[in-house]
Amino acid sequence: MTPNYGKELSAGAVLLIIAALLPFASDGYMLSIGVSIAMYTVLATSWALFSGPTHYISLATAAFFGVGTYVTGAGIDLLPYWVLLPLAALVGGVLAAVVGLATLRLSGVYFVIFTLGLAEMIRQCVTWFQNQQGHKGTYVLTDLTEAHIYWQLVGLAALVYLIGWLIQHSRLGFALRIIGDDEQVAAHSGINTSLSKVALFIVSGAVAAVVGAIIAPRYVYIEPAIAFNPMLSFQVVIMALLGGTGRLWGPLVGVIPFTFLWEVISASFPNQTTLLLGLSFLIIVYLLPKGFVGLLQKIRAKTGGFA
Amino acid sequence: MDIIITGLLLSGTYALIAMGLNLQYGVARIMNLANGEMLVVGGFAAFILFTGGGVSPLLTLFLVAPVAFFLNWLIYRIMLRPLVNRAKSRGALEQDAILTTFGLSFVMVGLMIWGFGGDYFNYSFLSRPIVIFGDNFGLNRVVAFVCAVALCAALYLWLNHSRAGMAIRAVAVSPESARLVGIDVPKLSARAFALGGAVTAVGGVIISTFLTLDASIGVLFTMKALIIVIMGGVGDVRGTIIAALILGVGETLVATFIDPGLTLAAAYAMFILILLFRPQGLFGRRPT
Amino acid sequence: MSVNVLSLRGATKRFGGLVAVDHIDFDVTEHQVMGLIGPNGSGKSTTLNLISGALTPTAGSISLRGARISGLPAQDIARKGVARTFQLVRLLASMSVLENVMAGAMFGHRRRGRHDAEHHAMEMLEKVGLGHVSHAPVGALTYIDTKRLELARALASDPQVLLLDEWLAGLNPTELEEGISLIKRLRDEGRTIVLVEHVMDAIRSLCDNCVVMSSGKKIAEGTPEQVLSDPEVIRAYLGDDDA
C-alpha cells in the first residue's frame, strides 16, 4: 500500500530538469514541437485528472483555453503579465464551477454535448462583442520568447503532476475512484458525488485556462477562431485516451507520438486531419480501450513480469 | 409575422432530423453524434443528382431513404452491436458510443473532404417567391416544410398505430419488459437505428433545397438535433415538435434582431435553461 | 423504554399514477431487528430506498433519532448513519476487497483517515469472514463472498441503522445457514437492522418485529409468529379467491 514516495518524486524531478534543458540543445523547429508537446501534456494530463476516474468526456478544453488566451489578450496592456496567469486560473475555475454545477448532476451524454457547444457559444459571443467594438482580434505584444513560453509550460506541467499526485493520495482521489466505479455506491457511502466531480473539473478548467494565457503571446494576434478552436478539445481527448488515463503519466505516452503524427499529417495532407482524428477515435475504442498503458499492462501480465 | 413564419418553416425540418436522432437514442440507446454527417451525406446526394443529372430532390428522397437505412443498419450491426455486447454498464456503453460515433463523424467528414473538397455547395431548386400573409417566402422553404411535416406525421402515425411501431415504442420505454413479451430487442434496435439514420438523411435532402451546406457543417445539425431531443424529452414526439418550433422561431428571432452570428449561442442559452430547470424535457416526467 | 432510532410517518412514493408505497408508518427501536416482508411488488424495496435516500418520498416523513432525513440526498443520509446493501450486489469493480470496505470506513457515518480506515476495514473483513482475501480483486470472489463484502462495507461506516435488501437471496442451503448466523451475530452485537427478506426461516429466527406490506400498504405489524398467522397476511401471500 505504501510505495516509495521519495523515489517517485525524485524520478519526476530528474525528468523535469532534462525537459527544461531542451531550449539549450535544439533549434527553432524542435523547440516549437517541444512547446506543443508541453502544452498538450499539461492539457491532456489535467483533462485525465477529471475524466479518468469519472468517465465523463469533457470537450470544454477549447473553451477554457480560449478564455485564458483572452484574459492575456484583454489584460496585457492593463496588468503585469504575472498577474494574468493566476487571473486566468481564476476565470477558468469559475467557468468550470458554473458549468460543472449545471451539468455534472446529469448523465454523461448531456455533459459531452454541453461542453462541445460551450467553446462555440463563447466564441460566438466574443466575436459578436468584438464586432460591436469594431475590431476582429487583439494584439498580444510581449518580449517573451519561445523558450520562455516553453519553460512556463514545463513548470506548469510539473505543478499539474504534483497536484495529480497529491489528489491520487488524498481522500478526494479515493472518492473519485469510487464514483468512477459506481456512483450510487459512492453516494450511499456518504460521498458528496457532485461536489467531488465539480472540484476536479475546476482544477482541469483552471489549468487549461492558464495554458491559454501562457500560449497567447505566441500567437501575437488572437482572434476567436484561433482561441476557441474545437479541434483542440478533440486532440486532447484523443491524446489522453490513447495514452491511458489509468496512470498519471499515461496521457504523456499518448501526447508524444500523436503530436509528431499530427505535425506530419497536417504538413503533408492538411485536409486529412479530420480523418486522422476520426480514425484515432475508432482505434481507441476498438483496439486500445485502456490506451497504451493498458496495453503495456496486458503485455506484462502475459509475459509474467511485474509492473 | 414574417419572422414567425420563417422560423416555423425552419422548424419543420428541425423536427424531422430530431425525430431521426430520437429514434436512435430513444430506442437503440445510442447517442449518435455522427447524425449530422448523415444529414450532410443526404444533402450531398441531392446536390450531385440535381446538378449532375437534373434529378429533382423530391425524387432523390426515395433513393436516399433505403440506401441510408441499409448503411445505418450496417453501422449498427458492425460497429455498435459489439459495443452493446461488451458493455458492462449503461455508462460504459455511453462512453464507447460517444467516442465511436464521434470517430465515425470525423471519418465521414474526412472522406467527404477527400472526395469532394471542403467547398460550400448549394443548388437552385424552386427558388421562386411565394406570398403568405402578404410577405414573400422562398417556395423551396415552403415545399421543404410541407415534406417535413408530412414525413413527421407519417412517422408519428406509424409509431402509434402499427404493430411494428408499438414494438418500437415498447423497447423505448423498457427493453427488459419488451424482451419478456417476446420482442426481439437487438433486431428491433438495429432497425430503429437504421430508420433513424434514414429519416435524418431524408432531412438532409430536404434541407439542401434551401440551405448551403459543406462537408464539415454536420456537427452543427447534430448539436441542434440534440438540443431539440433533450428539450423535448427523449422518446417524446410531441415534445420534439414543440422544441423544434421553439428552436426554429427562437433562432430566427435572434438572427433578425440581434446578430445572425449568435444563433447557436441562442440555442445553447435555451439548452442551459432547460438543463437547469427541466432536465427531464419540457413534458417529461422526472426520472424515477 | 427503548429509543426510536428510525421512524416512518405516512411515507409515500408515487411513480406517475402508481402508488408504490402508500402511507407507511413504523418505528424501529434501538438494537431491534425489523423485518420488512410481503409478496413481490408490495413496495418493500422501495421503502428501503426511501429510507436510504436512493428515492425521495412523495409525501410523509422519515426521521433518524428524531431528526428528519427524508428529502436529504443519499450521501447526507449515509453520513447521518444509515448504511445499506443492495438487492443486486454492487461492488467497486476496479478495487481490491480491502479498498471496497475502506470506502465505507472513510466516508460514512464515522469519517476516518486513510490509515485508521484501513485498520478498521480489516476488522470488518475479519468479522464477516473475509480477512484472508483482503488484497484480492473483487472479481475473484464467490457469490456469497460478494454479499459478505457488501455487508462489511456497510458495517464499516458504524451505522446507526443497517438496511439489508434481500441480503440472503440467492444463497444455497449451506450458505444460507452461514448467512443467517452472521446476521445473528450482528444482532447480538446490538446493531439496529431493517431487513427486506423472503426467506421465512430467516425471518422467524432473526426478526424481533415485522411489518408486512401488500400493494404498498402496511397490512400487519408484530412479532413474526403473530404476523405469519394473521389471516390477512396469509391471504396477501397466497392470493384471494374473491380477487
Side-chain angles (χ1 to χ4, degrees):
Chain A
M1 278 307 282
T2 21
N4 197 336
Y5 290 165
K7 210 169 164 187
E8 276 182 24
L9 285 176
S10 48
V14 170
L15 287 175
L16 188 71
I17 292 168
I18 295 173
L21 292 175
L22 179 80
F24 299 112
S26 68
D27 56 354
Y29 178 68
M30 274 319 283
L31 183 59
S32 91
I33 296 229
V35 169
S36 298
I37 288 182
M39 174 179 107
Y40 288 129
T41 302
V42 175
L43 292 175
T45 308
S46 64
W47 182 89
L49 282 183
F50 167 72
S51 295
T54 61
H55 306 304
Y56 277 91
I57 298 172
S58 161
L59 292 172
T61 312
F64 297 128
F65 179 89
V67 165
T69 53
Y70 265 86
V71 167
T72 304
I76 195 78
D77 296 330
L78 308 170
L79 294 165
Y81 177 73
W82 297 109
V83 179
L84 295 177
L85 300 186
L87 187 65
L90 184 73
V91 175
V94 169
L95 180 63
V98 172
V99 172
L101 286 172
T103 53
L104 282 173
R105 300 173 293 145
L106 304 162
S107 84
V109 169
Y110 292 69
F111 180 75
V112 177
I113 297 149
F114 186 82
T115 55
L116 171 63
L118 185 67
E120 188 63 16
M121 180 176 80
I122 299 178
R123 187 181 68 80
Q124 286 196 347
C125 291
V126 172
T127 309
W128 177 75
F129 182 74
Q130 288 190 332
N131 286 342
Q132 299 286 306
Q133 307 284 313
H135 52 87
K136 293 224 175 308
T138 314
Y139 282 97
V140 181
L141 301 170
T142 59
D143 40 19
L144 294 168
T145 65
E146 189 93 332
H148 291 134
I149 292 172
Y150 177 77
W151 279 319
Q152 290 180 61
L153 288 172
V154 171
L156 187 59
L159 184 66
V160 169
Y161 278 118
L162 189 67
I163 293 172
W165 188 84
L166 288 173
I167 290 175
Q168 270 188 356
H169 294 90
S170 71
R171 294 176 72 87
L172 179 60
F174 189 50
L176 282 163
R177 283 177 59 206
I178 298 169
I179 294 171
D181 266 8
D182 190 326
E183 194 157 343
Q184 211 180 338
V185 168
H188 281 95
S189 303
I191 294 169
N192 190 332
T193 54
S194 40
L195 201 66
S196 312
K197 287 187 281 185
V198 172
L200 259 281
F201 193 53
I202 289 174
V203 170
S204 82
V207 169
V210 175
V211 173
I214 292 176
I215 291 285
R218 197 190 191 203
Y219 291 140
V220 182
Y221 181 74
I222 53 172
E223 54 179 6
I226 298 173
F228 297 95
N229 181 3
M231 278 297 170
L232 182 71
S233 305
F234 290 107
Q235 281 169 288
V236 166
V237 174
I238 287 173
M239 289 179 190
L241 292 177
L242 203 60
T245 57
R247 291 275 183 281
L248 199 52
W249 47 267
L252 180 64
V253 184
V255 166
I256 295 174
F258 197 83
T259 308
F260 281 104
L261 185 64
W262 185 265
E263 283 290 322
V264 171
I265 297 284
S266 54
S268 335
F269 312 96
N271 282 334
Q272 296 317 321
T273 48
T274 354
L275 194 57
L276 173 66
L277 280 183
L279 292 174
S280 308
F281 269 120
L282 298 181
I283 287 171
I284 288 169
V285 174
Y286 292 99
L287 302 176
L288 290 168
K290 292 212 165 103
F292 289 134
V293 171
L295 189 69
L296 229 73
Q297 283 167 340
K298 223 183 197 171
I299 292 169
R300 270 182 183 154
K302 272 200 184 132
T303 53
F306 285 96
Chain B
M1 190 63 200
D2 60 326
I3 298 161
I4 304 282
I5 294 178
T6 308
L8 202 76
L9 294 178
L10 190 62
S11 54
T13 323
Y14 280 178
L16 187 63
I17 58 178
M19 293 262 263
L21 188 71
N22 214 337
L23 272 173
Q24 295 185 324
Y25 186 51
V27 183
R29 313 274 155 160
I30 299 284
M31 181 51 94
N32 182 12
L33 298 166
N35 185 269
E37 276 64 39
M38 199 46 73
L39 177 143
V40 176
V41 169
F44 233 38
F47 169 72
I48 290 167
L49 288 176
F50 187 78
T51 50
V55 182
S56 162
L58 298 177
L59 283 177
T60 309
L61 282 185
F62 295 97
L63 176 70
V64 161
V67 172
F69 185 91
F70 182 65
L71 205 65
N72 278 276
W73 186 79
L74 279 182
I75 289 173
Y76 187 83
R77 287 305 303 265
I78 295 172
M79 300 183 68
L80 300 172
R81 177 71 62 74
L83 300 181
V84 174
N85 290 340
R86 87 175 186 196
K88 290 194 189 82
S89 64
R90 179 102 197 249
L93 174 61
E94 199 165 61
Q95 190 181 6
D96 276 349
I98 288 167
L99 293 175
T100 306
T101 55
F102 258 136
L104 198 61
S105 126
F106 281 125
V107 167
M108 283 166 81
V109 172
L111 290 177
M112 280 191 278
I113 292 179
W114 197 359
F116 306 99
D119 295 336
Y120 290 100
F121 63 91
N122 67 346
Y123 53 94
S124 168
F125 172 73
L126 295 180
S127 50
R128 295 188 293 275
I130 178 173
V131 179
I132 304 173
F133 294 118
D135 288 302
N136 281 326
F137 296 94
L139 180 59
N140 47 11
R141 283 181 183 255
V142 177
V143 170
F145 176 75
V146 172
C147 284
V149 169
L151 282 166
C152 280
L155 210 56
Y156 180 78
L157 288 175
W158 182 74
L159 281 175
N160 280 287
H161 296 285
S162 77
R163 214 181 141 74
M166 184 99 78
I168 282 186
R169 286 191 300 135
V171 176
V173 173
S174 167
E176 288 79 22
S177 322
R179 191 171 300 128
L180 290 179
V181 296
I183 294 172
D184 186 344
V185 176
K187 198 162 115 189
L188 215 64
S189 294
R191 286 190 189 162
F193 189 86
L195 182 64
V199 169
T200 307
V202 165
V205 173
I206 292 176
I207 227 168
S208 74
T209 61
F210 65 94
L211 280 187
T212 302
L213 301 175
D214 71 277
S216 47
I217 205 170
V219 64
L220 202 71
F221 287 103
T222 308
M223 284 207 268
K224 285 181 183 173
L226 283 172
I227 292 173
I228 294 171
V229 168
I230 291 167
M231 204 152 54
V234 176
D236 184 340
V237 175
R238 184 184 49 153
T240 303
I241 289 167
I242 292 177
L245 273 175
I246 295 175
L247 189 74
V249 175
E251 269 189 3
T252 315
L253 285 173
V254 170
T256 318
F257 290 114
I258 307 174
D259 191 314
L262 286 178
T263 50
L264 195 68
Y268 258 79
M270 287 182 226
F271 181 47
I272 297 170
L273 291 177
I274 293 286
L275 277 187
L276 288 179
F277 299 109
R278 288 197 71 80
Q280 71 276 33
L282 287 174
F283 304 104
R285 282 207 197 100
R286 282 199 176 275
T288 45
Chain C
M1 261 316 281
S2 46
V3 191
N4 281 347
V5 179
L6 188 72
S7 305
L8 280 77
R9 287 290 172 274
T12 300
K13 181 69 189 176
R14 275 188 215 100
F15 296 108
L18 175 83
V19 187
V21 176
D22 195 355
H23 291 90
I24 293 292
D25 300 306
F26 66 81
D27 296 302
V28 185
T29 57
E30 187 110 55
H31 314 307
Q32 191 182 40
V33 176
M34 163 69 86
L36 208 51
I37 62 176
N40 281 326
S42 58
K44 311 176 297 281
S45 278
T46 310
T47 307
L48 218 57
N49 285 333
L50 293 180
I51 300 171
S52 78
L55 298 171
T56 315
T58 320
S61 78
I62 300 171
S63 45
L64 186 69
R65 292 192 188 278
R68 191 183 168 111
I69 55 168
S70 46
L72 294 177
Q75 66 258 22
D76 293 355
I77 294 176
R79 282 185 207 177
K80 286 187 188 293
V82 178
R84 70 170 296 174
T85 65
F86 294 89
Q87 198 168 1
L88 302 168
V89 183
R90 302 182 84 118
L91 295 177
L92 306 167
S94 76
M95 299 190 183
S96 72
V97 167
L98 181 66
E99 283 176 312
N100 263 271
V101 185
M102 281 171 68
M106 278 174 77
F107 302 99
H109 181 46
R110 239 189 82 195
R111 299 169 84 75
R112 295 178 171 82
R114 191 175 267 267
H115 189 74
D116 202 8
E118 197 176 324
H119 186 73
H120 184 68
M122 214 43 228
E123 272 175 28
M124 291 304 118
L125 283 173
E126 300 286 352
K127 192 196 286 282
V128 299
L130 288 178
H132 57 292
V133 288
S134 62
H135 289 283
V138 294
L141 298 179
T142 60
Y143 181 66
I144 184 173
D145 284 351
T146 61
K147 294 226 147 198
R148 284 189 169 128
L149 177 54
E150 212 187 18
L151 181 62
R153 185 176 66 208
L155 287 173
S157 65
D158 295 342
Q160 310 243 5
V161 183
L162 179 63
L163 310 176
L164 302 179
D165 197 352
E166 297 195 23
W167 193 79
L168 295 165
L171 301 183
N172 67 34
T174 344
E175 293 170 339
L176 195 59
E177 219 165 280
E178 290 173 38
I180 291 177
S181 65
L182 179 55
I183 297 178
K184 225 176 233 166
R185 280 207 299 281
L186 297 179
R187 188 184 65 174
D188 297 343
E189 282 176 15
R191 304 228 179 220
T192 311
I193 301 175
V194 178
L195 49 88
V196 166
E197 204 47 75
H198 279 298
V199 182
M200 284 300 162
D201 284 347
I203 294 162
R204 283 205 184 84
S205 61
L206 291 172
C207 298
D208 303 308
N209 226 346
C210 282
V211 165
V212 189
M213 289 180 70
S214 177
S215 311
K217 292 190 175 66
K218 180 170 97 172
I219 56 168
E221 182 171 1
T223 64
E225 289 71 33
Q226 284 168 351
V227 298
L228 292 178
S229 55
D230 184 321
E232 199 180 347
V233 173
I234 294 166
R235 195 159 54 237
Y237 269 97
L238 298 179
D240 192 345
D241 288 340
D242 305 330

